[in-house]
Structure formats: C-alpha cells, structure tokens
Amino acid sequence: MSIEPQPAFKKLESSLRLKQLMASHFYELDEAARRGSHKIAWCSSVGPAELLRSLGFLVYFPENHAALLGATRKATDYIPAANAIGYSPEICSYLTSDIGACIMGETPLSRAYPGITRVPPPDVLVYNTNQCRAVKDWFQWYSRKFRVPCLGVQSFRQMDEVTTLHVAAISTQLQQLIPPLQEISGTRFDIDRLRETIELSRQCSELWGQVLETAAHRPSPLTFFDGTIHMGPAVIARGTQSAVDYYIFLLAELRQRIEAGVAAVNHENCRIYWEGMPIWGKLRELAALFLRLKTCVVASTYCNSWIFSDLDPRDPFESMARAYTELFITRADACKERYIKQMVEFYRIDGILFHEAKTCPDNSNSLYGMPQRLYQQLGIPTVVIHGDLNDLRLFSEEQAVTRLEAFIEQVQG
Amino acid sequence: MSELYLGIDLGASATKAVLLDSRRQIVARTVVATGLDFTRVGQEVLEAVLRQAGADMEHIRCAVATGYGRKNVHFPCLSKTEISCHGRGAYHYFPEAITVVDIGGQDTKIIRLGPDGRLLDFQMNRKCAAGTGAFLEEMARRLDLSLSELEQLAGQSQQDVKLGSYCTVFTFTEILALSRRGIAVPDLVKAIFNAIVQRVTELGVLSGKIVATGGVVAYNPTVANLLANRIGVDPLIPPEPQLIGALGAALFAFEEAEHA
C-alpha cells in the first residue's frame, strides 16, 4: 500500500511566447487608448473581428477579460455588484462578473501587466449573437456607460443545417456594418485589406485546428486544460500575423513531443471529451485531478469552437457568414450529437464529460437528455458535473471530484 | 491472527469501518459521528475495529477509504469513491444486476450494476441537500424531534400530504404553512419522508432489482416502504445498510491484496 505523490504538470515551452503575445496585445490596446492613436472596437469572441481589423480598429474581447476574471478567481467578488443593478445571478456570469468589475473599477489586467490601470475604453462595440443573447445585453450596458454605438449581427439558433438563406442573411448584416464602422474608424473600407485579414484568420484557424488534432495521438501531447490557455491567440489575435506565428511555434513543439513520446499525462490510460464551458477558477485543480487519475481530457467542444474552416479570402462576406454561423453552439441537438460522435471516433474517446454551467444554458448540452442519448448510441459512459464558468459559488468541488473519480472508475471498469 | 482487510467510509454525517478476515467475513464494525475532523475520526474507527478484533495495525494487509473524507486518513490507505464502494458492498449480498439506491448524509446516489457487478452508470444529487440525510436532519432539528421520533410519528400518519418545494429552507416554510392549516405532525413527518423519496425518483429511472442502502434506510425504514409504494417494487435491504460503503471498501481492499 502506498500513496502516490501528485504528478507534476508538464508546462509547454510555448507558454513564455504566449505570455509575450498576450502582453503585447494588452499594451498595444492600452497605448492606443492613452494616445488616441487607434480606434478601439470591443468585439464578441466570435464576432466579426476581421472586418474590424481591416478598418484599422484595435480589437478588445470582453469575453477574454471575463475568462481572466474567472481564472483569477475574482469573478465571484464582482458578480454581486452587477446583481445589485438588476442583472440576475441566474444569467451569464461572464456578463455579471465583467460588468461588476467595471462598476468596482478593477481589472486583472492591472496585476498582470504593470502600468495598465483600466480596460481600454471602446469607440464602438460589435457583437454577434451566435454565442448567445447575453453578449448583446452585455455590450449594450457598456454602450450606455461609454456613450458609444453598439452594433451587431443577429444570428440564427438551433439550425440542423446551415442553408444558403442563413448565410446570405448573415452576410448582408455583416455588410451593413461597414458604413457605421467606416464613420467611427475614419478609415475607408478596403476589400483587399479584409481579404488579407481573413487569410491570416484562416491560417490561424487551420493551425489551431492542427494543434488540437495532435491530441488524437496516443498518448496525447496536450490536454484540454492546456488548450484553454493556448487558445488565447485564436480568440484575441486571429486575423494577425502574430497569432499565425504563435501557432506555428506551438504546433512544432507538440509534434516534437509526439516524436519524443512525451505525454501530457504520464501513463495515460483514459481519454475524455469535455463538453461545455471550462470552469475557469478550477482549471488547475481539475487538471491536477485528471493527472492523478492518469486520465487525459484530450478534446473539447469549447477549444474546437475557434476553428473556422470556412473562412475564405476569395469570398470574404459569405465565408465569414458561414464560418460564424456553422458554430456548434448555434446548432440543433441532432447536429451537435453527430459532431460529438465524430470527435469521439477521431480522438478515441473513452467517456464524455458534460459540464452543466448554471449561468450558461447555451453552452450546457446536458439539459435535454443528450448525455443519456449519446451513452445509448455510442456505448461509452457520460457524466454531468454541475458548476459554472465563472461563479464558483455554483460549483461544489467535493461533489464534482467524487463524481469524476467515480466516472473514471466506471470507464476503467 | 489471520490477515485483515479494512474498509472505512468517512461520510459527511457518520464514519463507518468494517474489518474482514481472509474468508471475507466481517470480524469488526463500528459507526461514529464524523464531526469536523476526518483524520481524527478515521483514526478513531481504525482503533475501534482493531480493538474489537483483538488485532493491531500490522495485521491489516490492505485498507481502502471511501466517502468525503477518504483522502484525509493518515495511515496507509488506498481510496475509492463511495459510488464504487456502495455498489461493491451491495453486490456482495445481491450478486446480480441491481440498482443501488444509497441515501447518505449528504449525497443520494443511484448506482446501476451489471450482472457481473460492473458499474454501468450512476447518478448523484446536484449541489443541493434535498433528498439526503442532511435534509432529514434539518427537518428534525426544526421540528425539535429526533430521527427516531420522526420514524415513529410517520407510522401514525393518517393522510398523504405533498410538499412542493425543492429547497430545504422553503420546505420548512411550507411545513409551517401546512401546520397553520391544521395538518397533524405525523402527516407532516410522512410528507418529509415522501419528499426524500420524490427526490430519489427524480434522480434517475428505477427499474429491475432495487437495493436500498445508507444511513437513512438504516434508521428510517419508512423511507424504504415509501419508495416501494412509489416504484411498485419492494427494495432489497442488505444487513446493516449503513455499513455497505465500508463493506465495499473492505472488499476492494481484499481484492487489491489478492491481485497484488
């Protein structure tokens, strides 16, 4: 009888480069805000960032900031401030924590990046409701606060197939953004510049997809928890050369790991798919738990959601419309189930974990019986853990750990 | 003295320990209130079962801890979840395809096992104490009754009363309202037990052979009776249902040592 010590995390060498990329992103925004050198657009995470960049905006992503609030475990401090002005504790905790932080005049950026004292104020806010309706409400609050325009794209939901009619409608909405954005930016729209940006976004997306696909190797060179950190450039810097360069570097490191037989999880004997949002404030604890259980969470819907295979510079608006409409989150359950089945097969998954995030029903696919259906259809175990993306008051770690350990005991027979 | 196999179930309310001999017979068992110090109570039950068996630590060939405090024991011990341990313990008495309903202090679980005892799937209560022993304890405290008095009173109930609240706090508010309307205490108590059964049946589909385990079933057989009424099948009750998790842990300890 012996008790094994907690295995150590294997940090990717690319992490240093990632830190540099993130730092230069935020310092560039801070500098622009202070000097007024560039207009700043706030964009939802799967919003039309390429269009904004092509018009010369620097782009800031509130969802990325909200994830930082979660990861630094500050979100729960800020949520009550938003609740107090009428934003329910039942709605998106990205929204409530981010607005709460703004009300309290705090940001984790100031701790991470000395000299930065505030988030860069927007000249315009641009959303796409493909993620959820909350982004619109969230951005409209900032629009009222900063007295700047809030523009957006209204996406379709619950689609089994994305048709040409869907794509045409979104494409039209994207093109309708051009006149007001031109006026705010003071830059004339240039289709060639948009094509260049889309090409960089396409490359970023393709490389990010290849990074994630390295996890198909057994043992996997990376985990879902690595993915949640290293997806940063795909979110905040897609459409830039720096994101492309970063993923070339990361991909090379992961391929080296595969060649050298380096596993992200030593003695990997169980491979799990993570469906749903990360629990940002518990990434480290959960990563440590799976490491101890010799289990690798190899793939996730969440990290895959920033692969936009349809982007095509030859057809900028149609391809943006398709790429941002064919997201997992906008689709009907039948389509989501087909997708997860493909992932299970490709990554040779032993079990599926559903994170039911209390304040994010759009990203919680356990609410309408999907885990049970997939268990029946695929014959591999599924488990649901109850928690939240940012509000740690909604997560019982003891219960979740017991549930996950029992799940792995079940998977391993 | 033959080699011994220890199972400890450090639950949220009670800590249980079982010691098996090399023929997998129970030679010692104990149940104590957990309190706040899992390490201390783990040591306490260890010493209690060793004393009962007239053995000492060196006779223990393998030990497995389960329950919420399973990581807090300070003697050499493997750990296994209470899901697997309750399943294993129940299968020991009913070696066939079964569905185990375990109503513990903080968790209620439905555990489905195949004919070979393999864990097929499980459900647990959400982050909510409704339907657990903690709910029952809270209701007893608010009514100023002991758990055994609850059991007695439920037997005197003359009518079925339904409680609609999901939340433990609001359930008591509802009880106060019913009491003001003249509903007798025995009927309220039975309604509390029925609320537990309701929460259990909401967790998952109960079919086939059902085995009921856990402290609530051990001290409040009314729950098992009400469950039988609800699902139309008499649940099987193993001997000493509160010890089933600890027994399962001890059986895993035995099997671990056999395979070592």
Side-chain angles (χ1 to χ4, degrees), chain A residues 348-362:
Chain A
R348 291 176 287 171
I349 299 292
D350 299 310
I352 307 171
L353 182 163
F354 285 81
H355 170 212
E356 192 172 303
K358 174 76 175 169
T359 72
C360 190
D362 287 310

PDB file of all heavy atoms in Angstrom, chain A residues 348-362:
ATOM      1  N   ARG A 348     -10.571   8.896 -30.220  1.00  0.00           N
ATOM      2  CA  ARG A 348     -10.634   7.605 -29.496  1.00  0.00           C
ATOM      3  C   ARG A 348     -10.947   7.844 -28.002  1.00  0.00           C
ATOM      4  O   ARG A 348     -10.164   7.559 -27.103  1.00  0.00           O
ATOM      5  CB  ARG A 348      -9.348   6.820 -29.685  1.00  0.00           C
ATOM      6  CG  ARG A 348      -9.200   6.339 -31.123  1.00  0.00           C
ATOM      7  CD  ARG A 348      -7.912   5.646 -31.361  1.00  0.00           C
ATOM      8  NE  ARG A 348      -6.786   6.574 -31.398  1.00  0.00           N
ATOM      9  CZ  ARG A 348      -5.512   6.208 -31.432  1.00  0.00           C
ATOM     10  NH1 ARG A 348      -5.200   4.931 -31.411  1.00  0.00           N
ATOM     11  NH2 ARG A 348      -4.548   7.106 -31.476  1.00  0.00           N
ATOM     12  N   ILE A 349     -12.145   8.391 -27.822  1.00  0.00           N
ATOM     13  CA  ILE A 349     -12.594   8.830 -26.502  1.00  0.00           C
ATOM     14  C   ILE A 349     -13.204   7.656 -25.722  1.00  0.00           C
ATOM     15  O   ILE A 349     -13.956   6.856 -26.272  1.00  0.00           O
ATOM     16  CB  ILE A 349     -13.658   9.956 -26.677  1.00  0.00           C
ATOM     17  CG1 ILE A 349     -13.063  11.168 -27.403  1.00  0.00           C
ATOM     18  CG2 ILE A 349     -14.302  10.329 -25.345  1.00  0.00           C
ATOM     19  CD1 ILE A 349     -12.039  11.937 -26.646  1.00  0.00           C
ATOM     20  N   ASP A 350     -12.891   7.622 -24.421  1.00  0.00           N
ATOM     21  CA  ASP A 350     -13.440   6.560 -23.556  1.00  0.00           C
ATOM     22  C   ASP A 350     -14.676   7.009 -22.786  1.00  0.00           C
ATOM     23  O   ASP A 350     -15.415   6.171 -22.255  1.00  0.00           O
ATOM     24  CB  ASP A 350     -12.378   6.119 -22.534  1.00  0.00           C
ATOM     25  CG  ASP A 350     -11.145   5.561 -23.209  1.00  0.00           C
ATOM     26  OD1 ASP A 350     -11.293   4.685 -24.080  1.00  0.00           O
ATOM     27  OD2 ASP A 350     -10.020   6.008 -22.889  1.00  0.00           O
ATOM     28  N   GLY A 351     -14.853   8.303 -22.655  1.00  0.00           N
ATOM     29  CA  GLY A 351     -16.006   8.796 -21.890  1.00  0.00           C
ATOM     30  C   GLY A 351     -16.200  10.286 -22.153  1.00  0.00           C
ATOM     31  O   GLY A 351     -15.251  10.989 -22.514  1.00  0.00           O
ATOM     32  N   ILE A 352     -17.428  10.745 -21.987  1.00  0.00           N
ATOM     33  CA  ILE A 352     -17.734  12.163 -22.259  1.00  0.00           C
ATOM     34  C   ILE A 352     -18.184  12.841 -20.972  1.00  0.00           C
ATOM     35  O   ILE A 352     -19.082  12.345 -20.286  1.00  0.00           O
ATOM     36  CB  ILE A 352     -18.854  12.304 -23.312  1.00  0.00           C
ATOM     37  CG1 ILE A 352     -18.523  11.503 -24.563  1.00  0.00           C
ATOM     38  CG2 ILE A 352     -19.083  13.775 -23.659  1.00  0.00           C
ATOM     39  CD1 ILE A 352     -19.679  11.411 -25.563  1.00  0.00           C
ATOM     40  N   LEU A 353     -17.545  13.949 -20.684  1.00  0.00           N
ATOM     41  CA  LEU A 353     -17.896  14.741 -19.506  1.00  0.00           C
ATOM     42  C   LEU A 353     -18.693  15.960 -19.975  1.00  0.00           C
ATOM     43  O   LEU A 353     -18.238  16.712 -20.843  1.00  0.00           O
ATOM     44  CB  LEU A 353     -16.603  15.174 -18.825  1.00  0.00           C
ATOM     45  CG  LEU A 353     -16.629  15.977 -17.534  1.00  0.00           C
ATOM     46  CD1 LEU A 353     -15.255  15.906 -16.873  1.00  0.00           C
ATOM     47  CD2 LEU A 353     -17.017  17.426 -17.710  1.00  0.00           C
ATOM     48  N   PHE A 354     -19.870  16.136 -19.407  1.00  0.00           N
ATOM     49  CA  PHE A 354     -20.674  17.326 -19.695  1.00  0.00           C
ATOM     50  C   PHE A 354     -20.581  18.266 -18.511  1.00  0.00           C
ATOM     51  O   PHE A 354     -20.900  17.873 -17.383  1.00  0.00           O
ATOM     52  CB  PHE A 354     -22.149  16.949 -19.910  1.00  0.00           C
ATOM     53  CG  PHE A 354     -22.428  16.303 -21.232  1.00  0.00           C
ATOM     54  CD1 PHE A 354     -22.183  14.955 -21.430  1.00  0.00           C
ATOM     55  CD2 PHE A 354     -22.956  17.038 -22.281  1.00  0.00           C
ATOM     56  CE1 PHE A 354     -22.444  14.351 -22.647  1.00  0.00           C
ATOM     57  CE2 PHE A 354     -23.217  16.448 -23.501  1.00  0.00           C
ATOM     58  CZ  PHE A 354     -22.963  15.096 -23.699  1.00  0.00           C
ATOM     59  N   HIS A 355     -20.142  19.478 -18.764  1.00  0.00           N
ATOM     60  CA  HIS A 355     -20.180  20.491 -17.708  1.00  0.00           C
ATOM     61  C   HIS A 355     -21.471  21.285 -17.877  1.00  0.00           C
ATOM     62  O   HIS A 355     -21.644  21.985 -18.870  1.00  0.00           O
ATOM     63  CB  HIS A 355     -18.965  21.425 -17.782  1.00  0.00           C
ATOM     64  CG  HIS A 355     -19.085  22.617 -16.876  1.00  0.00           C
ATOM     65  ND1 HIS A 355     -18.533  23.836 -17.179  1.00  0.00           N
ATOM     66  CD2 HIS A 355     -19.702  22.780 -15.677  1.00  0.00           C
ATOM     67  CE1 HIS A 355     -18.814  24.690 -16.211  1.00  0.00           C
ATOM     68  NE2 HIS A 355     -19.517  24.089 -15.291  1.00  0.00           N
ATOM     69  N   GLU A 356     -22.347  21.138 -16.894  1.00  0.00           N
ATOM     70  CA  GLU A 356     -23.607  21.887 -16.911  1.00  0.00           C
ATOM     71  C   GLU A 356     -23.364  23.191 -16.154  1.00  0.00           C
ATOM     72  O   GLU A 356     -23.317  23.202 -14.923  1.00  0.00           O
ATOM     73  CB  GLU A 356     -24.710  21.050 -16.259  1.00  0.00           C
ATOM     74  CG  GLU A 356     -26.091  21.616 -16.475  1.00  0.00           C
ATOM     75  CD  GLU A 356     -27.155  20.630 -15.967  1.00  0.00           C
ATOM     76  OE1 GLU A 356     -27.182  19.473 -16.418  1.00  0.00           O
ATOM     77  OE2 GLU A 356     -27.941  21.035 -15.097  1.00  0.00           O
ATOM     78  N   ALA A 357     -23.146  24.249 -16.913  1.00  0.00           N
ATOM     79  CA  ALA A 357     -22.833  25.549 -16.308  1.00  0.00           C
ATOM     80  C   ALA A 357     -24.134  26.271 -15.996  1.00  0.00           C
ATOM     81  O   ALA A 357     -24.910  26.569 -16.905  1.00  0.00           O
ATOM     82  CB  ALA A 357     -21.970  26.375 -17.257  1.00  0.00           C
ATOM     83  N   LYS A 358     -24.338  26.533 -14.729  1.00  0.00           N
ATOM     84  CA  LYS A 358     -25.626  27.066 -14.267  1.00  0.00           C
ATOM     85  C   LYS A 358     -26.027  28.349 -15.006  1.00  0.00           C
ATOM     86  O   LYS A 358     -27.187  28.524 -15.350  1.00  0.00           O
ATOM     87  CB  LYS A 358     -25.523  27.321 -12.758  1.00  0.00           C
ATOM     88  CG  LYS A 358     -26.709  27.992 -12.130  1.00  0.00           C
ATOM     89  CD  LYS A 358     -27.861  27.030 -11.951  1.00  0.00           C
ATOM     90  CE  LYS A 358     -29.005  27.700 -11.203  1.00  0.00           C
ATOM     91  NZ  LYS A 358     -30.218  26.899 -11.238  1.00  0.00           N
ATOM     92  N   THR A 359     -25.062  29.224 -15.248  1.00  0.00           N
ATOM     93  CA  THR A 359     -25.440  30.507 -15.859  1.00  0.00           C
ATOM     94  C   THR A 359     -25.198  30.529 -17.367  1.00  0.00           C
ATOM     95  O   THR A 359     -25.248  31.601 -17.972  1.00  0.00           O
ATOM     96  CB  THR A 359     -24.699  31.696 -15.203  1.00  0.00           C
ATOM     97  OG1 THR A 359     -23.323  31.669 -15.605  1.00  0.00           O
ATOM     98  CG2 THR A 359     -24.804  31.658 -13.687  1.00  0.00           C
ATOM     99  N   CYS A 360     -24.925  29.377 -17.951  1.00  0.00           N
ATOM    100  CA  CYS A 360     -24.664  29.351 -19.394  1.00  0.00           C
ATOM    101  C   CYS A 360     -25.421  28.203 -20.059  1.00  0.00           C
ATOM    102  O   CYS A 360     -24.819  27.229 -20.517  1.00  0.00           O
ATOM    103  CB  CYS A 360     -23.167  29.231 -19.663  1.00  0.00           C
ATOM    104  SG  CYS A 360     -22.734  29.480 -21.396  1.00  0.00           S
ATOM    105  N   PRO A 361     -26.751  28.309 -20.109  1.00  0.00           N
ATOM    106  CA  PRO A 361     -27.521  27.204 -20.709  1.00  0.00           C
ATOM    107  C   PRO A 361     -27.166  26.967 -22.170  1.00  0.00           C
ATOM    108  O   PRO A 361     -27.248  25.828 -22.646  1.00  0.00           O
ATOM    109  CB  PRO A 361     -28.975  27.650 -20.539  1.00  0.00           C
ATOM    110  CG  PRO A 361     -28.934  29.108 -20.249  1.00  0.00           C
ATOM    111  CD  PRO A 361     -27.611  29.386 -19.593  1.00  0.00           C
ATOM    112  N   ASP A 362     -26.763  28.016 -22.901  1.00  0.00           N
ATOM    113  CA  ASP A 362     -26.433  27.824 -24.319  1.00  0.00           C
ATOM    114  C   ASP A 362     -25.223  26.915 -24.523  1.00  0.00           C
ATOM    115  O   ASP A 362     -25.068  26.305 -25.569  1.00  0.00           O
ATOM    116  CB  ASP A 362     -26.178  29.171 -24.999  1.00  0.00           C
ATOM    117  CG  ASP A 362     -27.477  29.939 -25.200  1.00  0.00           C
ATOM    118  OD1 ASP A 362     -28.424  29.347 -25.728  1.00  0.00           O
ATOM    119  OD2 ASP A 362     -27.542  31.115 -24.798  1.00  0.00           O
TER     120      ASP A 362
END
